[in-house]
Amino acid sequence: MAYDLLFTNARVLDGTGSPWLRADVAVADGHIIAVGRALAGDAVRTIDVGGQIVAPGFYDMHSHSDISLLVEPRHEAKVFQGVTFELLGQDGLSYAPVTPQIREEIRRHLAGLNGDDPRAGWDWTTVDSFLNRFDGTTSVNVGYLVPHNAVRIGALGWEARTATPAELDRMCGLVREGMEDGAFGLSTGLTYPPNVWSDTDEMVAMCEVVARYGGIYVTHMRGQGDGLLDPIHESIEICQRAGLPLHISHLKSARLGSAANLPGVIALLEGARAGGLDVTFDSYQYQAGSSMLHSNLPDWMHEGGPDAELERLTMPDVRARVRTLWAEKMPPWDALTVGSVRTDANRWMEGRTLGPLIRESGKDAVDFVCNLLLEEDLAASHISAAGGEDSDLGVLLASPYQMLGSDGIHLGSHVHPRTYGTYARVLQRYVRDEGTLRLEDAIRKFSSFAARRLSIPDRGEIRPGMWADIVVFDEQAVTENATYAEPRQLASGFSYVAVNGTLVIDGGQHTGATPGRAVRHRR
């Protein structure tokens, strides 16, 4: 038999949680065609991996690579961690289905999250035409969730109110179009305008459409801290009423308010599962967060879209109103670091803490932040303070229904280290150093569990018939090199990464290959 690739002398972790087995893995026509000892046959390329781990490619279940993948298709931050699949459209913040006008409005509104680089093309309107942009042009596979913002703006614009029955019908129609085009479900970010202006009934109506296609509901919930249990209750209610699975985004200690909330959260999720609701969540193993700078503004500042927001930023009476609000509850500027800006003139701010920048400017926080957002045309991001590590992270990681998502933003010189380090961090710290997680359980979370969550039947495991998304690594050498001070440092310890049977990492070097494709949900 002829093979394109043959990995020999491997310790194979198949992705199911089973212990490793000594075996060879043969690849032909983009698929794994044989797994066994001393496989017979000729191979175009035979790679003796010297006893390293051969595992299924890793899934990033919460990615903000919607635009960066189109601009930097080698995607080195992720493939050097073994990631071969990214789920886009997260937090209800993405770019399809849209009209050209709405696409450009969202492009400006999300410039601090995903950038607005013209090299992305910006010529799509449907989910199908957006997904087509990734076929054979990127180094990883992608999947997509219909984003709440696109369907809401498509039906009622940037208005701060609930939808009328006619508008809700239009929203459900746009969700239906996205599901027909291959989306895996619906995503929401219920702390972000315009999504924040929705109610529970609106979410149920859209999720009923998703349920008819066998999709899932993925949510960045409304609240965090001590008020987290109410949003979990809402999320559970939505999925129970609509009849579909629930997946909670980036559940982590910083969103729990205090360690005292964790038992209540776990009990609530376990109670929902005991009652028959299919609930999972993703998280990343860092306390610090990251977001758009203008997400610190009051929600009403965003009504009407980017042009209206920019106009409000110039108005003295609006600044006075914000000043009054911030006098009651000031954003923690001494805990926020500038991650990215658009202009070269302000590039020196990246990596600087906002508190000192504000004080050095001689302005108050309102004038400084409003002026900066005007100068950057909203395209600025921040990273929250890291603080000390929290044991809650290990508790969540140990949950059998947790999987990994980096939540990584790719903009600026001072990105969050989770973009470059999430998967290496788990393997290095929580598997090898602390023993919080068995290696085979980590690989299951990274691969087959995520693939099954998305109902992808032919990926996520090392077995014949599966697509050949494969990662080879030395578990004793895997190192997270990204830090808060130097975040753009590639992970190490990964020798080979194949996507759809083509090597993207070969002997620790990127090949430049872009064999990725858009994986579409099968009804």
Side-chain angles (χ1 to χ4, degrees), residues 12-15 25 32 35 54-57 460-464 466 469-471:
V12 176
L13 280 171
D14 65 6
V25 179
I32 298 169
V35 180
V54 170
E461 296 180 29
I462 300 293
R463 62 179 172 86
M466 307 295 276
D469 300 329
I470 296 171
V471 56

Side-chain angles (χ1 to χ4, degrees), residues 25 115 140 214 222 227 273 351 371 410:
V25 179
V140 298
R222 293 190 192 276
R273 291 187 64 86
N371 290 348
H410 294 260

Side-chain angles (χ1 to χ4, degrees), residues 196-397:
V196 69
W197 298 315
S198 65
D199 62 11
T200 302
D201 289 340
E202 180 179 308
M203 308 312 304
V204 170
M206 289 186 292
C207 283
E208 287 174 340
V209 176
V210 175
R212 290 196 287 272
Y213 288 85
I216 64 174
Y217 176 56
V218 180
T219 182
H220 167 135
M221 299 178 296
R222 293 190 192 276
Q224 60 184 35
D226 294 333
L228 184 64
L229 294 185
D230 286 341
I232 294 178
H233 278 293
E234 181 190 35
S235 301
I236 290 171
E237 177 189 347
I238 289 166
C239 291
Q240 286 175 333
R241 288 172 59 186
L244 80 172
L246 169 63
H247 184 81
I248 298 173
S249 296
H250 44 52
L251 189 64
K252 61 189 180 74
S253 62
R255 294 182 61 82
L256 298 175
S258 71
N261 289 329
L262 181 59
V265 169
I266 296 297
L268 186 53
L269 297 181
E270 290 181 346
R273 291 187 64 86
L277 182 64
D278 184 359
V279 182
T280 55
F281 67 91
D282 62 66
S283 58
Y284 54 86
Q285 302 308 110
Y286 303 82
Q287 277 198 334
S290 183
S291 191
M292 301 171 285
L293 180 60
H294 70 144
S295 66
N296 291 283
L297 297 174
D299 295 338
W300 51 263
M301 286 283 287
H302 305 273
E303 187 175 2
D307 285 337
E309 180 181 350
L310 287 165
E311 183 177 1
R312 289 190 186 99
L313 289 170
T314 68
M315 299 168 65
D317 60 328
V318 170
R319 292 192 182 195
R321 185 179 172 188
V322 175
R323 196 169 285 114
T324 298
L325 291 172
W326 283 359
E328 297 175 358
K329 186 177 181 181
M330 181 71 70
W333 303 120
D334 284 320
L336 301 180
T337 300
V338 179
S340 67
V341 294
R342 181 199 303 270
T343 67
D344 290 338
N346 288 328
R347 196 79 60 201
W348 62 276
M349 293 186 187
E350 293 183 349
R352 294 281 306 275
T353 303
L354 275 161
L357 288 174
I358 292 168
R359 291 188 287 272
E360 292 167 12
S361 74
K363 301 179 176 66
D364 71 358
V366 173
D367 286 337
F368 180 89
V369 171
C370 289
N371 290 348
L372 180 58
L373 288 170
L374 285 166
E375 292 168 9
E376 301 303 318
D377 194 26
L378 306 180
S381 69
H382 67 74
I383 299 169
S384 62
E389 292 302 329
D390 196 316
S391 61
D392 289 2
L393 294 173
V395 173
L396 291 167
L397 182 67

Side-chain angles (χ1 to χ4, degrees), residues 448-464:
S448 68
F449 188 34
R452 298 297 83 78
R453 170 80 293 178
L454 298 174
S455 299
I456 301 174
D458 53 1
R459 296 180 188 271
E461 296 180 29
I462 300 293
R463 62 179 172 86

Side-chain angles (χ1 to χ4, degrees), residues 58-63 78 81 83 85-87 90 247-251 280-286 393 396-399 401-408 418 421-427 430-431 437 441-447 449-451:
F58 302 162
Y59 281 58
D60 189 337
M61 287 294 285
H62 193 99
S63 169
K78 297 294 183 64
Q81 299 178 67
V83 172
F85 180 99
E86 302 226 321
L87 186 59
Q90 295 287 355
H247 184 81
I248 298 173
S249 296
H250 44 52
L251 189 64
T280 55
F281 67 91
D282 62 66
S283 58
Y284 54 86
Q285 302 308 110
Y286 303 82
L393 294 173
L396 291 167
L397 182 67
S399 167
Y401 38 92
Q402 182 264 7
M403 57 195 75
L404 270 289
S406 72
D407 201 7
R418 67 194 183 194
T422 291
Y423 295 81
R425 184 179 185 86
V426 171
L427 293 173
Y430 292 92
V431 174
L437 197 64
D441 290 334
I443 299 305
R444 182 190 70 87
K445 288 173 176 287
F446 293 178
S447 56
F449 188 34

